Amino acid sequence: MDIQLKRGMLDVCVLTAIKNEDTYGYQIIKNVRPYIELSESTLYTILKRLEGANMLTVRSLEHDGRLRKYYHITEKGLKRIEEFKDEWKEMMLIYSFIMKEGANE
């Protein structure tokens, strides 16, 4: 898979994992695990990139005597999810064309 396409998809997966409630890194990994394999190092790189793009915010709270970072999606992050859905519709049309043309060979 094209690395840029995969990167964009992973970004949207992470945004979707925090869409309904603020959450922390390990919980994000658990939420996406049934769908994609995501390492901690990859996740934290994505989270940092999304924070830099103002698609999420971060706050630290104490949990069991340790600080835990909680991530919150912003309006810009919600908009990115919707943009991705629209882009995916176009990708599915392209996929359908490719599969149809391949069947004609």
Side-chain angles (χ1 to χ4, degrees):
M1 177 181 287
D2 178 73
I3 191 73
Q4 289 299 93
L5 178 60
K6 186 173 183 179
R7 179 178 171 184
M9 292 176 75
L10 289 175
D11 287 359
V12 175
C13 286
V14 170
L15 289 169
T16 301
I18 64 174
K19 179 181 171 186
N20 295 322
E21 66 179 330
D22 294 359
T23 192
Y24 53 96
Y26 181 69
Q27 186 62 50
I28 294 169
I29 290 173
K30 283 177 47 177
N31 290 346
V32 302
R33 185 171 286 142
Y35 308 99
I36 58 170
E37 188 66 34
L38 187 63
S39 70
E40 283 186 47
S41 61
T42 300
L43 172 65
Y44 288 107
T45 300
I46 292 167
L47 290 169
K48 194 138 193 84
R49 180 172 55 247
L50 293 172
E51 181 183 9
N54 298 315
M55 291 188 203
L56 57 83
T57 58
V58 183
R59 63 185 165 90
S60 295
L61 293 175
E62 189 173 325
H63 177 77
D64 292 335
R66 298 178 58 191
L67 283 180
R68 178 184 280 174
K69 289 184 177 182
Y70 283 82
Y71 299 91
H72 174 81
I73 194 166
T74 64
E75 286 298 319
K76 189 173 181 182
L78 291 169
K79 184 178 177 190
R80 178 63 194 120
I81 293 171
E82 294 308 312
E83 289 169 350
F84 178 83
K85 289 177 182 178
D86 289 339
E87 292 164 2
W88 196 251
K89 289 176 190 171
E90 184 178 352
M91 290 292 288
M92 290 306 297
L93 288 172
I94 294 167
Y95 175 80
S96 295
F97 172 75
I98 293 168
M99 295 307 292
K100 181 183 92 165
E101 289 302 307
N104 290 336
E105 293 178 6

